Amino acid sequence: MNTANMKTVIFKNNIEDIRKAADIIKRGGLVAFPTETVYGLGANALNPGAVAGIFAAKGRPADNPLIVHIADPGQCEQLTTHISQTASLLMDRFWPGPLTLILPAGPYIPSITTGDLDTIGIRIPSHPTALKLLRLSGTPIAAPSANTSGRPSPTTASHVQKDLEGKIDAIIDGGPVEIGVESTVLDVTGDIPIILRPGHITASQIEQYCGRVLIGYEDSTLEDTEKVRSPGMKYTHYSPGTPVVLIEGSPDFVINNSRDLIKKEHDLKHRAGLLICNENLKQISADETYSLGDRTKPARVAQNLFMGLRYLDMQQIDLIIVDGSFVNRGIGTAVFNRVRKAAQRIIKEV
Ligand code: TXA
Ligand code: MG
């Protein structure tokens, strides 16, 4: 499908415009829309031609499956062959919300949607605009994050515009998103649920409802990491064009290493940008700075991560240094997961 050079309409976040967006989905088109996590790029999940448009617009590898969004748990029946008791409990507790459940795929799902796997990722988003779009479209909507493949996920409509203008039919501008990193992906096809991607819903929250949970994503703080099973996790991710160095450790470690790196860049007549926690702001000066918020407030750090990476990427700088002194707790774990993938280099305190 050739999606280049189409006119991308910017819709307002009102019911008339959401209805127009739903009509585009029904006709097999592509609409970016806000969810509580990040903006998604949606198409009718049951229309293979429409889903092919998502892969073309994003430049996404064909073996990376899409998350299917629904408005109502009853829609799972057409998408999966079996809902275990655990899956059902988790749906009751966490839907609508930022939890994607991996379930056995039903026979009528186009293989392009699932990246040819026999499983399918499903979630009900809680964002009112996403829910209205889903209801008015009357179909499950496949929606990866609405960025060019490999780039930081979009947390505003203008991020989507920057990556996908001219390649998709429309964007619904619902303002900045609430959470800022993508949903937790949980495989519930086996006996013990496996977290394939950390997010706002944490392992301990899930464990309250289903006992033990395994960690299935790469985490440099864990020794006994399961093999990475989420196909998307093997690709370059969340990276701006400018190289990223992550410095993980205590505030002093971060400050000293940042000063060294900035000095090296200046010696080369390069400019350096800092994505930095508030507490360290006054201790280091760089050529460009963006605040991650307080290091003890991971929800704020999550909101600022992709925003800051994209902001710094637009400045004329040669290196982005990320302050990894924020807490690795709650959604902080998801932020570390994303920023480690975005980084070309990690300097870690031992
Ligand atoms: O918050 C989110 O999840 C956002 C919003 C738009 O809902 N969507 C999102 O989609 O982040 P995407 O495509 O950027 O990330 C989906 C992740 C990928 O890592 C993909 O490999 C994994 O979920 N995934 C999807 N279906 C899967 C499946 N059947 N088995 C294993 N992993 C799957
Ligand atoms: Mg993505």
Side-chain angles (χ1 to χ4, degrees):
M1 185 191 241
N2 180 11
T3 49
N5 297 323
M6 50 169 77
K7 170 144 179 50
T8 302
V9 183
I10 311 292
F11 284 136
K12 293 205 176 67
N13 193 13
N14 61 41
I15 197 70
E16 294 79 40
D17 274 14
I18 299 172
R19 191 164 279 126
K20 287 181 201 155
D23 287 340
I24 294 175
I25 297 280
K26 285 187 208 167
R27 290 200 305 269
L30 303 179
V31 177
F33 60 96
T35 81
E36 70 279 24
T37 56
V38 299
Y39 274 72
L41 176 60
N44 180 348
L46 304 178
N47 175 340
V51 174
I54 293 180
F55 284 89
K58 280 183 59 92
R60 182 175 175 107
D63 67 349
N64 192 0
L66 306 180
I67 294 173
V68 175
H69 297 67
I70 55 176
D72 174 336
Q75 287 175 284
C76 279
E77 269 170 43
Q78 63 177 138
L79 300 176
T80 176
T81 50
H82 177 66
I83 299 173
S84 66
Q85 209 181 345
T86 301
S88 168
L89 255 171
L90 294 169
M91 287 175 190
D92 285 348
R93 171 60 186 85
F94 293 109
W95 282 2
L99 178 67
T100 296
L101 295 175
I102 306 297
L103 298 160
Y108 306 112
I109 320 298
S111 60
I112 187 169
T113 304
T114 59
D116 224 7
L117 296 176
D118 54 8
T119 55
I120 181 170
I122 307 177
R123 86 176 185 102
I124 304 186
S126 64
H127 196 294
T129 307
L131 286 170
K132 280 179 201 144
L133 179 69
L134 283 159
R135 295 215 165 93
L136 291 167
S137 304
T139 180
I141 294 181
S145 49
N147 51 280
T148 298
S149 207
R151 299 249 310 139
S153 294
T155 58
T156 66
S158 66
H159 293 167
V160 181
Q161 218 175 342
K162 177 127 201 336
D163 282 14
L164 300 177
E165 173 121 65
K167 297 181 175 177
I168 62 176
D169 295 286
I171 303 168
I172 305 176
D173 186 351
V177 300
E178 188 190 329
I179 294 176
V181 295
E182 311 82 346
S183 62
T184 306
V185 176
L186 186 72
D187 183 340
V188 284
T189 57
D191 292 338
I192 305 172
I194 307 170
I195 299 184
L196 301 182
R197 181 176 73 182
H200 178 76
I201 310 280
T202 61
S204 58
Q205 278 178 291
I206 296 166
E207 275 172 345
Q208 288 174 15
Y209 293 86
C210 54
R212 196 163 155 237
V213 168
L214 299 175
I215 303 299
Y217 57 89
E218 286 171 279
D219 181 339
S220 58
T221 63
L222 286 175
E223 289 196 357
D224 190 21
T225 300
E226 284 265 318
K227 178 167 147 279
V228 177
R229 297 176 30 142
S230 190
M233 299 316 246
K234 68 175 185 257
Y235 296 108
T236 313
H237 257 90
Y238 319 115
S239 297
T242 314
V244 174
V245 177
L246 167 66
I247 308 177
E248 277 189 46
S250 63
D252 280 347
F253 182 81
V254 171
I255 290 165
N256 292 332
N257 279 279
S258 300
R259 284 184 185 144
D260 288 352
L261 280 178
I262 293 167
K263 182 167 182 316
K264 279 187 193 138
E265 289 300 304
H266 286 174
D267 288 347
L268 294 166
K269 302 271 179 285
H270 286 174
R271 282 161 46 83
L274 263 176
L275 189 52
I276 185 170
C277 299
N278 282 340
E279 296 85 344
N280 286 347
L281 256 175
K282 293 215 173 75
Q283 322 289 325
I284 325 165
S285 73
D287 302 294
E288 296 286 344
T289 304
Y290 194 95
S291 168
L292 279 172
D294 292 356
R295 81 161 56 89
T296 53
K297 296 189 175 130
R300 190 44 70 83
V301 177
Q303 286 172 334
N304 289 328
L305 175 73
F306 291 139
M307 195 83 104
L309 287 176
R310 280 180 177 265
Y311 169 82
L312 289 172
D313 198 27
M314 291 193 322
Q315 314 311 311
Q316 299 299 316
I317 54 175
D318 302 280
L319 184 71
I320 297 174
I321 300 167
V322 181
D323 171 352
S325 68
F326 57 87
V327 294
N328 190 345
R329 198 177 56 225
I331 197 172
T333 301
V335 181
F336 269 111
N337 170 266
R338 305 306 191 271
V339 79
R340 281 174 188 152
K341 286 179 185 296
Q344 274 73 22
R345 191 176 151 210
I346 300 175
I347 303 174
K348 196 166 175 174
E349 190 171 19
V350 282

